[in-house]
Amino acid sequence: MMRKCPTAESCATESDMSQTTANPLKRTLLDLRIANSLPSALRCDALTPLTESPTALFSALKLSSPPRLFNVLQLQSSKSIIAGRKPRTVSKAHFSIVVPEPSVSNFLENENAPTSESEVTMARSYLIGISEQCGVEELELDVIELLNSNNVELEHESNRFVNVVSGNELIPGSDPWAYNYGGYQFGFWAGQLGDGRAITLIHTETSKGGIELALKGAGMTPYSRFADGYAVLRSSIREFLACEALYALGVPTSRALSLVAIPGRKIHREVLEGSGVVARVVGTAGWLRFGSFELWMKRGDGVMLKELTDVAVKNGFPEIWQRGAVDTTDGEVFNKYAEWFGEVVDRTAVMIAHWQSVGFCHGVMNTDNFSILGVTIDFGPYQFMDNYDPTYICNHSDEEGRYSFNKQPSIAYWNLNMLGSAISSLVVKYDCEGDVEAATKLIHEKLEIFQSKLSSKYQELITL
């Protein structure tokens, strides 16, 4: 069995890796191997520099012994942490370092600090949903043993697990971040959007590859605009259920590890409601959206666009990256960026075919809600149809029916067109040596993959 690690660094030793191979299930969150290779290769927000990240700040405390987990409350006095959450335009960065807001922070910022036992209880986070399958299959983490064990040491780890997935504590060595991106919303360019209420905790490596664990509803980020960064409990429940339901149906999707309720954090929407936090899981680069690339094209920043695309391909599509790095001796031409775009087209077509085959209505098919991995993300007003109605609209704000059930394939194609346009400069310069006509033809050829793949996959699914 894999040994317990006193620090995050010791989890990355060859000894640990060999033991993980023998028994892949990890017993605690501290056994997760921190590998923040994806964001560290991108440009960080100047107002949230890595030199003032949680890991750096905790190191500056010069603790006599490393804590088992970092208590987020210890960071709330940091000026850089506070400034980092302030909504603003982030012009030259792919991401910002953002620390989750602990569930008791709303009490600490005013005179209503919890004093009685009942008030403290209300401020706590309560685990109300857990996906054992997600823990085992995606993170290789035995969450059921962790949560149900009578072992005293594991009982402490169980409490820490709840604290981490609710945003109260951080795994040592992790520097949570929020992505910067834009997007077309209902067909119109919306400018900078970004992770307004999502914070990625870690990038970790498993036997199946890279995984990103993120929290939704854990507080404000630079991309929250006029919102508070929280999520109401009812929408958190819906997202948790949708992720795992789609997975069970075989639909390409992000996963949900856990659902936490925070009774004391009341947030105002139409009425005053309780809040929740969902811990979500996706493969490497899965939180990068079509809008991530569109933002830099719209800003006319080819350098930022190329840096982002290279990292996305290298980390999320390593086969394409490795093939593009090999010189061919037989005269074969390999168009790296166009081939990557074609793979995104293919995966998106497969996802849409699955949606149509099970009667799933997404409801908000904006380009900032489409992952480059071709997996379902960002569950808002989604619905599963009870009865077949091709014109069904699940989003009450979609007055023109842009995202109705029967239009989902055409909207996905439109979104892919926007992505193709966003990365077209890379295809022109690097794949086609400046030949605009050849690049345009190549992108259109890749786009045509969509309809044939959609049709064949849909036929396959409905005839099972």
Side-chain angles (χ1 to χ4, degrees), residues 183-217:
Y184 287 90
Q185 298 191 330
F186 290 90
F188 298 95
W189 178 246
Q192 177 185 294
L193 298 168
D195 285 334
R197 55 177 177 170
I199 299 173
T200 304
L201 295 182
I202 60 169
H203 180 95
T204 185
E205 295 293 333
T206 71
S207 61
K208 297 192 298 183
I211 292 292
E212 292 181 31
L213 173 64
L215 302 183
K216 186 171 184 178

Side-chain angles (χ1 to χ4, degrees), residues 145-275:
E145 179 187 357
L146 176 62
L147 296 173
N148 293 338
S149 176
N150 293 322
N151 181 287
V152 174
E153 185 176 1
L154 280 185
E155 185 177 344
H156 290 306
E157 296 297 343
S158 173
N159 294 332
R160 292 180 177 118
F161 174 84
V162 176
N163 279 332
V164 168
V165 298
S166 60
N168 289 326
E169 297 188 72
L170 300 178
I171 302 172
S174 64
D175 292 315
W177 69 94
Y179 282 115
N180 186 12
Y181 52 82
Y184 287 90
Q185 298 191 330
F186 290 90
F188 298 95
W189 178 246
Q192 177 185 294
L193 298 168
D195 285 334
R197 55 177 177 170
I199 299 173
T200 304
L201 295 182
I202 60 169
H203 180 95
T204 185
E205 295 293 333
T206 71
S207 61
K208 297 192 298 183
I211 292 292
E212 292 181 31
L213 173 64
L215 302 183
K216 186 171 184 178
M220 190 177 291
T221 79
Y223 313 104
S224 296
R225 294 176 287 170
F226 303 106
D228 54 22
Y230 301 137
V232 295
L233 182 57
R234 56 183 168 83
S235 68
S236 301
I237 292 172
R238 282 172 51 81
E239 177 139 0
F240 177 80
L241 294 175
C243 288
E244 295 308 282
L246 286 181
Y247 176 77
L249 290 169
V251 180
T253 182
S254 53
R255 303 291 302 276
L257 173 64
S258 63
L259 171 63
V260 168
I262 306 174
R265 180 186 280 164
K266 298 296 183 182
I267 53 180
H268 193 274
R269 296 298 183 257
E270 288 83 0
V271 296
L272 202 61
E273 301 185 54
S275 66

